[in-house]
Amino acid sequence: MDANPVPVGVTGVVSSAARQLRDAGIDSAHVEAQLVCAHVLGVDRSVLPMADGLDATAVAEVDRIVAARARDRTPLQYLLGRATSGRLDLAVGPGVFIPRPETELLVENTLAALPAPGEGPGPVVVDLCAGSGTLALEIAHARPDAVVHAVELHGPALEWLRHNVAERAAAGDTPVEIHRGDATDHALLAQLRGAVDAVVSNPPYIPQTDDLPGDVLGQEPSTALFGGEDGLAVITPLVAVAAGLLGPGGHLAVEHDDTTGATVAAVVWAQGSFGNVERHTDLAGRPRFVTATRLAGDHDDDHDDEIDPTVQKGITR
């Protein structure tokens, strides 16, 4: 037997893996096969065609991951243990919501709304329902001068948040302050009331349903997915909490289901503390998040001309 068997070519391994995933009904089979091979080889997917072949151990690891993905539709990010989040690569696994590309737009919007870096104190930002830390860590990475607080209630997600905060701090980012708490609790972060520059949130917002892909339903935590029958069970009280935390001129950004944009905008407006309520779409043109500005005082009917909660803005990059 050859003590040094010839490595198996990347193209052949990708093709075989893609075929198995395709047979299991995975729509993005070829891309996922590439991602698995790149992960096992420890290279970026973009350089995969130039990578060396895979030895027997690497091929066996590709086969293991692909088989698990094909067998029970375990999210690929859970199997790889990582998920891309805008500028960052975060650790994820069972018990935490997987970052989606759409959330990057909310991050960019918030960064543009923050006070510019200067000689004074940096901005204070609160991420409610932080999950893996996507929003908090992206903002802390882009704005080293910011003081960022991440709030998460559920134990498994909190452990992933702690892991990612420690990992990003070790990489040189400004550490994020972690709080275990309920984003709908009006007593939350009482020491920050009126002193926050931005509140961001990607809360559980899907209206209760069984009509979700198999690699979401039963895989990702329901506590991070569903916002009650109408998708607003968390968002409505969360908006009131945000109003208490934000100082005048503070920025609110809340992600929502693509069916509830107008309703969420109306909830923010009806809360009474916000102006400049705007609806934003994602790159596919779907309603995705609502932003607003904390007023110095509560609005009344005489100020209806200041705000149009039906405004919808597309986001471009």
Side-chain angles (χ1 to χ4, degrees):
M1 180 181 293
D2 188 347
N4 297 294
V6 176
V8 180
V10 170
T11 300
V13 175
V14 168
S15 296
S16 176
R19 184 164 50 253
Q20 186 174 350
L21 292 170
R22 196 175 301 111
D23 289 345
I26 306 295
D27 292 335
S28 53
H30 187 73
V31 170
E32 291 200 12
Q34 290 178 320
L35 289 169
V36 171
C37 288
H39 170 79
V40 170
L41 287 171
V43 301
D44 189 85
R45 177 184 160 216
S46 64
V47 302
L48 195 59
M50 297 171 282
D52 295 332
L54 292 83
D55 62 21
T57 300
V59 171
E61 178 64 4
V62 170
D63 289 343
R64 182 193 69 80
I65 295 172
V66 169
R69 176 73 170 125
R71 182 177 60 250
D72 56 13
R73 303 300 288 268
T74 299
L76 183 62
Q77 294 89 340
Y78 284 179
L79 294 170
L80 302 185
R82 312 294 298 184
T84 299
S85 174
R87 303 164 179 84
L88 304 180
D89 181 52
L90 301 181
V92 297
V96 73
F97 182 76
I98 298 169
R100 264 65 167 183
E102 294 87 350
T103 303
E104 298 171 29
L105 302 176
L106 189 153
V107 171
E108 293 180 8
N109 175 277
T110 301
L111 291 172
L114 291 177
E119 296 181 358
V124 178
V125 180
V126 173
D127 177 6
L128 299 176
C129 304
S132 64
T134 299
L135 297 174
L137 292 168
E138 286 268 12
I139 292 169
H141 178 74
R143 286 293 299 267
D145 62 325
V147 178
V148 182
H149 299 263
V151 178
E152 176 54 50
L153 177 62
H154 300 286
L158 192 65
E159 290 307 307
W160 289 108
L161 174 62
R162 288 173 175 149
H163 177 97
N164 285 320
V165 166
E167 190 173 85
R168 291 311 312 167
D173 286 355
T174 302
V176 167
E177 298 187 28
I178 300 171
H179 308 268
R180 183 167 194 170
D182 185 343
T184 68
D185 180 1
H186 286 262
L188 182 70
L189 300 179
Q191 73 279 14
L192 295 179
R193 289 186 66 84
V196 175
D197 294 286
V199 171
V200 296
S201 183
N202 182 9
Y205 59 61
I206 301 174
Q208 194 69 45
T209 180
D210 293 328
D211 186 22
L212 289 175
D215 48 5
V216 175
L217 189 64
Q219 299 283 356
E220 296 185 70
S222 61
T223 52
L225 295 173
F226 299 113
E229 291 298 320
D230 60 1
L232 303 176
V234 175
I235 288 177
T236 299
L238 180 150
V239 168
V241 171
L245 292 172
L246 288 166
H251 185 71
L252 172 67
V254 180
E255 189 167 324
H256 56 72
D257 189 72
D258 59 10
T259 66
T260 60
T263 307
V264 171
V267 165
V268 174
W269 168 239
Q271 195 282 327
S273 301
F274 293 98
N276 301 323
V277 179
E278 296 177 345
R279 298 163 57 197
H280 300 266
T281 59
D282 60 25
L283 293 175
R286 294 182 296 261
R288 187 54 57 196
F289 65 99
V290 166
T291 62
T293 303
R294 179 64 164 94
L295 298 171
D298 293 347
H299 71 61
D300 55 40
D301 290 341
D302 294 335
H303 294 81
D304 283 350
D305 58 333
E306 295 181 3
I307 303 158
D308 180 1
T310 67
V311 169
Q312 182 163 295
K313 292 188 173 181
I315 305 296
T316 57
R317 292 190 286 178

